[in-house]
Amino acid sequence: MATNRTFTMLKPDSIEKGNIGAILEKITTSGFRIVAMKMTQLSTANCEEFYAIHSERPFFGELITYMTRGAIVAAILEKENAVEDFRALIGATNPADAAEGTIRKLYADSMGENAVHGSDSNENAEIEGNFHFSGREQF
Ligand code: GDP
């Protein structure tokens, strides 16, 4: 099951710019089914835990400030080959390097404010989905 699911967040810049609808449209017309979704805001503690792998990186402080400054939309997506296909759909971390037509090319401004998150492995998709959606929900 995990091989067919990935986890995404529409980051605060996407919400601030009014891009929720356009990005979700792009996701669903690209063949992803939204299995679970919520609008929420990350606390500093939750955000630091979510991005713990980056805690030693020089941009960690900026990343936490960015990701906690406003609402996000968290969602679990389903599609065959979901993790890899979604990474292709969002494009490179730096929108300047992202391919034409990708979400980051269309909607992101910079490496620091890059519109969307997409899990980078099946294992992380499951961990990140569970982080945001408790086991109490059935989907
Ligand atoms: P991703 O898997 O494409 O999201 O990229 P990474 O896992 O390498 O980085 C996680 C997130 O940290 C990125 O999506 C950016 O929001 C942020 N980030 C990565 N590199 C930088 C950087 O050099 N500067 C800043 N400010 N943020 C960065």
Side-chain angles (χ1 to χ4, degrees), residues 17 25 31 34-35 37 40 45 47 54 58 60 70 80-81 91 97-98 105 107 115 133:
K17 292 194 279 184
E25 167 95 3
I34 298 170
V35 177
M37 183 165 68
T40 184
C47 193
H54 294 305
F60 187 63
E80 266 186 41
N81 206 32
D97 300 329
K105 186 70 172 186
Y107 299 111
F133 296 94

Side-chain angles (χ1 to χ4, degrees), residues 79-138:
K79 182 184 183 297
E80 266 186 41
N81 206 32
V83 168
E84 203 176 307
D85 286 2
F86 193 69
R87 294 286 293 189
L89 179 65
I90 67 179
T93 307
N94 186 344
D97 300 329
E100 289 300 327
T102 59
I103 292 173
R104 283 171 168 166
K105 186 70 172 186
L106 289 165
Y107 299 111
D109 289 332
S110 66
M111 183 95 145
E113 303 215 354
N114 61 1
V116 279
H117 168 82
S119 304
D120 63 4
S121 67
N122 291 325
E123 188 191 2
N124 282 339
E126 194 163 351
I127 292 168
E128 292 171 359
N130 288 339
F131 186 91
H132 283 270
F133 296 94
S134 80
R136 290 191 301 275
E137 290 133 340
Q138 293 294 311

Side-chain angles (χ1 to χ4, degrees), residues 34-88:
I34 298 170
V35 177
M37 183 165 68
K38 68 178 170 192
M39 193 169 187
T40 184
Q41 185 160 357
L42 288 168
S43 67
T44 298
N46 279 346
C47 193
E48 286 176 348
E49 189 182 337
F50 186 87
Y51 281 114
I53 196 168
H54 294 305
S55 61
E56 302 303 320
R57 307 282 284 275
F59 59 82
F60 187 63
E62 260 178 53
L63 175 61
I64 301 304
T65 300
Y66 161 52
M67 287 299 298
T68 57
R69 77 177 185 212
I72 61 157
V73 172
I76 293 173
L77 306 174
E78 198 165 70
K79 182 184 183 297
E80 266 186 41
N81 206 32
V83 168
E84 203 176 307
D85 286 2
F86 193 69
R87 294 286 293 189

